[in-house]
Amino acid sequence: AVASAAPLVPDGLSGPPPPLPAHPSGASRGASGRSASASACNSGSGGAVAAASDPAMEVLAGISRGHDGVKSQLAFRLSNLQLSRNFVVRGDLRGALAAVRRCGDPSVGADLLQGIASKRDPMYTLETIPDLVSVLEGVLSLASEQSVSLAVDLSCTVYRAFHQVIRDVCSQASRVGVDLSFEQRRERCMTARLALQGLAPKLGHAARNYAGSSLAYKAQDLAQELATL
């Protein structure tokens, strides 16, 4: 018998064909695509973080810009308050009130009035009422309820201390003959009365700003009393 001839297959070609190798350019394209996607994700997250931090940075920048202004304002207020305090220590209330008016900052006046109100013995006299009223008007125009309340309380104290003297002296007719002491006293009372009556519009404005509060009632009552002084 003749053996069947085996098919002629070259060595190394028997079995299934080996897999084809991946194309180098395709592999590089895949790698570059993956790195580009990662970069895009990273850049996107960084942009989101930067966008989220922008408002906070703007707030910090605003605080930094306003810091120098606030510091300068407080230093100005402190220096003027120290100047007025020096006058008060020497017993010169009119000098202290004049210093407050020159600085042009009503908040300094509020600080000075706080110091005056805390003293047991009042420093103000009939002669100092016009100067005191000038500072009270500035404090009454402040937006702080505490400062306005302080000014109203001190105005009430001054009114209670001098209203009867002012009424009595201003209601007297000029005396026969020359009485310089009486005329000088009458002139001081007239000046004090006009100054106190000038507070009425400011008090009425404060009453409207704080309508319904005890501060409003107190300011309105005092304004009415001053109108008939």
Side-chain angles (χ1 to χ4, degrees):
V2 179
S4 59
L8 298 176
V9 179
D11 293 335
L13 296 183
S14 61
L20 293 176
H23 197 282
S25 61
S28 62
R29 281 198 301 268
S32 62
R34 287 191 297 272
S35 62
S37 299
S39 300
C41 291
N42 292 334
S43 62
S45 61
V49 170
S53 62
D54 281 345
M57 295 302 296
E58 290 177 2
V59 171
L60 291 176
I63 293 174
S64 299
R65 286 193 299 269
H67 177 74
D68 292 338
V70 172
K71 183 179 178 181
S72 176
Q73 187 178 14
L74 291 176
F76 175 80
R77 180 174 175 178
L78 177 60
S79 64
N80 282 282
L81 184 59
Q82 289 174 337
L83 176 61
S84 63
R85 180 183 176 276
N86 292 335
F87 284 105
V88 171
V89 170
R90 296 198 298 266
D92 186 2
L93 179 59
R94 299 187 81 171
L97 295 170
V100 168
R101 292 200 308 272
R102 282 196 299 269
C103 80
D105 187 355
S107 60
V108 178
D111 294 334
L112 176 62
L113 294 183
Q114 181 67 49
I116 294 174
S118 63
K119 288 185 173 296
R120 292 183 178 179
D121 299 326
M123 298 183 62
Y124 42 84
T125 61
L126 190 65
E127 291 78 7
T128 58
I129 287 180
D131 301 291
L132 183 59
V133 165
S134 178
V135 175
L136 286 168
E137 288 178 344
V139 177
L140 284 170
S141 65
L142 291 173
S144 168
E145 182 176 355
Q146 181 179 0
S147 297
V148 173
S149 179
L150 170 65
V152 172
D153 288 341
L154 190 55
S155 299
C156 289
T157 302
V158 173
Y159 172 78
R160 287 194 298 266
F162 296 102
H163 78 97
Q164 194 59 54
V165 174
I166 292 174
R167 290 180 191 274
D168 292 343
V169 174
C170 290
S171 62
Q172 295 180 21
S174 298
R175 297 179 180 179
V176 178
V178 179
D179 189 347
L180 293 179
S181 62
F182 173 76
E183 291 298 330
Q184 290 173 355
R185 185 173 178 80
R186 189 168 186 268
E187 182 179 356
R188 288 195 295 268
C189 287
M190 293 286 291
T191 303
R193 183 176 71 173
L194 290 174
L196 288 171
Q197 287 178 337
L199 281 175
K202 292 286 186 179
L203 291 167
H205 182 70
R208 290 189 295 273
N209 284 345
Y210 301 99
S213 65
S214 59
L215 173 59
Y217 292 123
K218 185 184 295 184
Q220 187 62 44
D221 289 343
L222 181 58
Q224 294 174 354
E225 291 287 343
L226 292 175
T228 60
L229 181 61

